[in-house]
Amino acid sequence: MTDQSIEQLRTWIDECKPGRMVFFGGAGVSTESGIPDFRSPDGLYAQKYGDVPPEEMISRTYFDRHPRQFFEFYFDRMIPRGVEPNRAHRKLAQLERDGVCSAVITQNIDGLHQAAGSRAVWELHGSVLRNYCMRCGAFYDLDAMAALHEQAEDGVPRCPACGGAVKPDVVLYEEGLDSRVVEGAVDAIRHADVLVVAGTSLVVYPAAGLIDYFAGNRLAIVNLAPTPRDRYADVCIQAKVGDVFDW
């Protein structure tokens, strides 16, 4: 049944009108690149890191109150090193070049969709590749950010120009999503005929609620485990995202 469902989804995508497919992905899209997800038995939340749960360490409250510990955890566990786009990233980039996929909406912060060649990417939770001084707004790429972290005695990256703390352009718990990004994602979903939701548990809001704006013909959910939205999908596929997007 899984093989038939995969072939059905591929047929929908191949027959989709130009620019009317949208992809909405989560952590499961990048696991094949060696980046752990959050909620699986081997995921980030299952890993021990001192006495503080990882989900608390990536909250805005923890960032403000314990910046040294935050950045220690952030650079140790949140920065992908030596990773490359996988089959799913590359296929989506190809579908964009072919004029089929109008947008990729991602909950990931690794930048792998852009590395594969996708251009129309809405990053709901930001990106580790962008960092900004909280005082003067100066921009720092990941290499510069890492250098500032290594140079700081307390491990807190600070802007050489003004001395302000430099924060990753990543949405932490307790922070709101960027309204411009949300509006772009909603607009893409509203105009889609085929929406593929992949590699996400669909339990993190407000991101998970964005699929409520879909009014198209085909909704497909690809995830290794069932999701709360499976009953609304036209097809549910329990498989690796890379296996599904490999044709």
Side-chain angles (χ1 to χ4, degrees), residues 112-128:
L112 289 179
H113 284 293
Q114 292 93 328
S118 292
R119 302 171 69 88
V121 182
W122 297 103
E123 296 173 309
L124 295 175
H125 296 152
S127 172
V128 298

Side-chain angles (χ1 to χ4, degrees), residues 119-222:
R119 302 171 69 88
V121 182
W122 297 103
E123 296 173 309
L124 295 175
H125 296 152
S127 172
V128 298
L129 305 181
R130 300 186 300 269
N131 307 273
Y132 296 94
C133 174
M134 298 176 68
R135 183 179 297 171
C136 72
F139 168 82
Y140 297 92
D141 63 20
L142 181 56
D143 289 340
M145 179 70 160
L148 293 175
H149 166 67
E150 293 176 0
Q151 294 165 8
E153 291 185 6
D154 60 358
V156 179
R158 289 186 172 82
C159 176
C162 73
V166 180
K167 180 182 178 296
D169 187 20
V170 170
V171 179
L172 304 176
Y173 283 119
E174 304 167 348
E175 291 184 323
L177 303 185
D178 183 290
S179 59
R180 182 190 64 85
V181 174
V182 172
E183 289 169 4
V186 167
D187 185 66
I189 290 173
R190 277 178 171 159
H191 289 90
D193 288 338
V194 176
L195 176 62
V196 181
V197 180
T200 174
S201 59
L202 290 175
V203 297
V204 176
Y205 283 80
L210 295 182
I211 68 172
D212 292 334
Y213 292 96
F214 179 63
N217 299 319
R218 304 296 186 186
L219 171 62
I221 295 180
V222 181

